[in-house]
């Protein structure tokens, strides 16, 4: 099995900051892309940011210039620094990996419990 444990969410006022962490463990064979996604009730999960093993990053237009994704390969951990938070950023945030388990199953099928981010106006 693969475990993804997100943490760092909370309640913050608009304009504030939070730093999310996601630690991956278990039967991971290899992966390249690590990403953050978010979901609000009644809406599909949306991509927030991704980072490749070489450090190339990609951001949703709505978070560009405010969020920064980073990773620690030795710790199988991905981070999301969120600054200048807006009420529209309120969501449950999840991390995800692109790769395979030791059993050749795609890692994209594994999700953690997520971490709630609530931004008050």
């Amino acid at each position: 099995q693969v475990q993804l444990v997100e943490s760092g969410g909370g309640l913050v006022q608009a304009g504030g900051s939070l730093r999310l962490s996601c630690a991956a463990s278990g039967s991971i064979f290899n992966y390249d892309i690590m990403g953050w996604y978010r979901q609000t009730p009644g809406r599909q999960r949306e991509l927030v940011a991704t980072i490749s093993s070489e450090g190339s990053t990609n951001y949703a237009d709505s978070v560009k210039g405010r969020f920064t994704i980073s990773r620690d390969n030795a710790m199988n951990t991905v981070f999301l620094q969120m600054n200048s938070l807006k009420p529209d950023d309120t969501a449950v945030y999840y991390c995800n990996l692109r790769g395979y388990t030791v059993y050749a199953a795609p890692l994209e099928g594994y999700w953690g419990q997520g971490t709630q981010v609530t931004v008050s106006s």
Side-chain angles (χ1 to χ4, degrees):
Q1 290 296 324
V2 173
Q3 293 80 41
L4 298 172
V5 179
E6 301 95 342
S7 62
L11 173 63
V12 64
Q13 288 188 333
S17 298
L18 285 172
R19 186 173 188 250
L20 307 183
S21 299
C22 173
S25 62
S27 306
I28 297 171
F29 177 63
N30 65 2
Y31 60 91
D32 54 0
I33 303 293
M34 305 181 83
W36 284 97
Y37 296 75
R38 65 187 182 186
Q39 188 171 23
T40 55
R43 301 187 66 177
Q44 286 192 333
R45 197 166 294 179
E46 64 174 0
L47 175 68
V48 176
T50 61
I51 184 169
S52 73
S53 55
E54 294 81 17
S56 297
T57 57
N58 178 57
Y59 296 93
D61 288 343
S62 58
V63 307
K64 281 181 182 177
R66 301 187 298 120
F67 290 11
T68 302
I69 189 171
S70 60
R71 61 193 281 171
D72 182 335
N73 292 326
M75 299 296 292
N76 287 345
T77 301
V78 61
F79 306 96
L80 187 68
Q81 178 65 44
M82 304 187 296
N83 299 328
S84 302
L85 283 161
K86 305 175 181 179
D88 284 348
D89 296 319
T90 295
V92 179
Y93 284 71
Y94 301 88
C95 69
N96 193 251
L97 310 180
R98 189 179 78 180
Y100 293 93
T101 72
V102 296
Y103 307 108
L107 289 172
E108 292 90 321
Y110 292 89
W111 297 90
Q113 81 290 345
T115 186
Q116 175 71 49
V117 171
T118 303
V119 184
S120 62
S121 57

